[in-house]
Amino acid sequence: MSSYQSNEIKLINTSLIDPHPDNPRKNIGDVTDLAASIKTNGLLTPLSVVPNGERYRVIAGHRRLAACKQAGIVAVPCFVLQLGPLQQLEAMVTENCQREQLTVLEEADAIQGMLDLGATTASVAHRLGRSGDYVRDRVKAASIKTEVRASRDDFGQISIGQLVAIARYDGQPDRQKELAQAAGTSNFDYTLRRIERDDRDRQWVESVAALLGEPDSGINLIPDPEKPYSDPEWRYIGCMFPSTGTPEEAIEKIRELNPAAVSIHTVSQQVYLWTRRDKTADAEKEARRAAEQAERDARQHVLEEYAATTADKRMAWLHGHLHAIKRAKLIETTARLGLLQTIDPDPTGFTKDLHTWNDAACAREQFAAIAGIKPEQALAELHTHLDSPDWPTYAVMILTARIEWFISPNDWDWSGDDNVSRRIPGYYLILQDLGYEPSDDETEHLDQLVAAITEEDEEEDE
């Protein structure tokens, strides 16, 4: 302020003094304490103002002016300065910077305003006592559009380094907003690196596309197929990534591979390589796939029918025989069934609470079939009988129902790719010990399951 200071002090009515519309500091904050101090001690430092017609505008002392008006001070002493628009802005910026009252963004906007009024980067740097890079960084920050600034309430608190990084993506508001949201967090550097990588990848693809489009490239460039894995003419055989090398190196690699065609996939930033489809071979392959699927479907249907038939047979036997089995044997069976469920490789279904039987699943129907009780009465009957002397019978009903509910058709498939199910052989041993007699068909299936389990165990031992 010193080079613009005046020795003449004039007493001016506060009603004639206005805040400067170009004041870099947009928020003067709470002046309650300052107003109380001025009311007690008076205004110790005069304001600096410039004439504005019959009124005045503050150059230095916006907070003091607000505090005086709040304290009811009618007239205040002022230095009246004669300054042009650029000098006014320079004076306000300098005064605020010396007091460290501006946010980085407020300072950036003020510096841009000074440049707009004709100042040079060198003169602004000299006036502020800062370096040219300091001024240039803030000019970059000032270029960030209002739309981006409005993306978060505390945008003005973002550091200058992050503001410069955001400003780098001028014309790309979505990216600027993404960076703004990450500013001030540990995600900012990661987000910035990802965006920089995306830019490099995009530039790589654009350069490769330009080289491929040259008349003498010798490579068949085609539009990218809409359905890359089911295009009727082209079959996908591979791709080139930016990590392949420079665009020129990628072109040489493509020439070595000699595909029938290439296309540019801009979404994934890749160059796709294609060969023409052999429609006869594709048709044969599709026919084989269809036949294999039909075979799998037929086998699955057989498994489902077999599983349903054997389940009905087992549950009918349990329904007709459990009440005739001795109590001691039922207690032993309860322990064995519980142990079987404990060591089952996938016992999730066995651990559900009994209240889940109010739903459509979780063995409610199986229990009803074994106990001969309507599903809606099952829960009440369970609570009654588990407190009675015949609880072992109902315990076996509960545990067998849970196992029956959990057995799937694929548990009977000893030829599948997954591990062979071990729950069925163990379950049948317990049932047979109770007196259940498997059919010849069940015995054959059980033998095949046991053989598959034995083979699996031997392979693991090896």
Side-chain angles (χ1 to χ4, degrees), residues 18-28 50 52 57-60 62 83-96 102 105-114 116-117:
D18 303 311
H20 201 293
D22 295 328
N23 181 28
R25 189 177 186 190
K26 303 307 179 186
N27 182 8
I28 62 171
V50 293
N52 181 37
R57 285 179 174 173
V58 178
I59 294 298
H62 285 81
L83 304 175
L86 176 57
Q87 291 174 317
Q88 293 177 28
L89 188 52
E90 284 180 343
M92 287 187 289
V93 172
T94 304
E95 194 264 347
N96 278 288
L102 297 179
L105 201 56
E106 287 174 339
E107 185 182 10
D109 289 338
I111 288 174
Q112 182 61 57
M114 293 164 67
D116 291 341
L117 290 172

Side-chain angles (χ1 to χ4, degrees), residues 95-139:
E95 194 264 347
N96 278 288
C97 287
Q98 288 173 346
R99 295 173 181 267
E100 297 183 349
Q101 293 177 331
L102 297 179
T103 66
V104 171
L105 201 56
E106 287 174 339
E107 185 182 10
D109 289 338
I111 288 174
Q112 182 61 57
M114 293 164 67
L115 297 176
D116 291 341
L117 290 172
T120 64
T121 300
S123 66
V124 173
H126 176 74
R127 183 63 184 166
L128 299 180
R130 304 288 189 176
S131 68
D133 286 341
Y134 181 95
V135 173
R136 281 185 285 272
D137 281 348
R138 278 146 186 80
V139 171

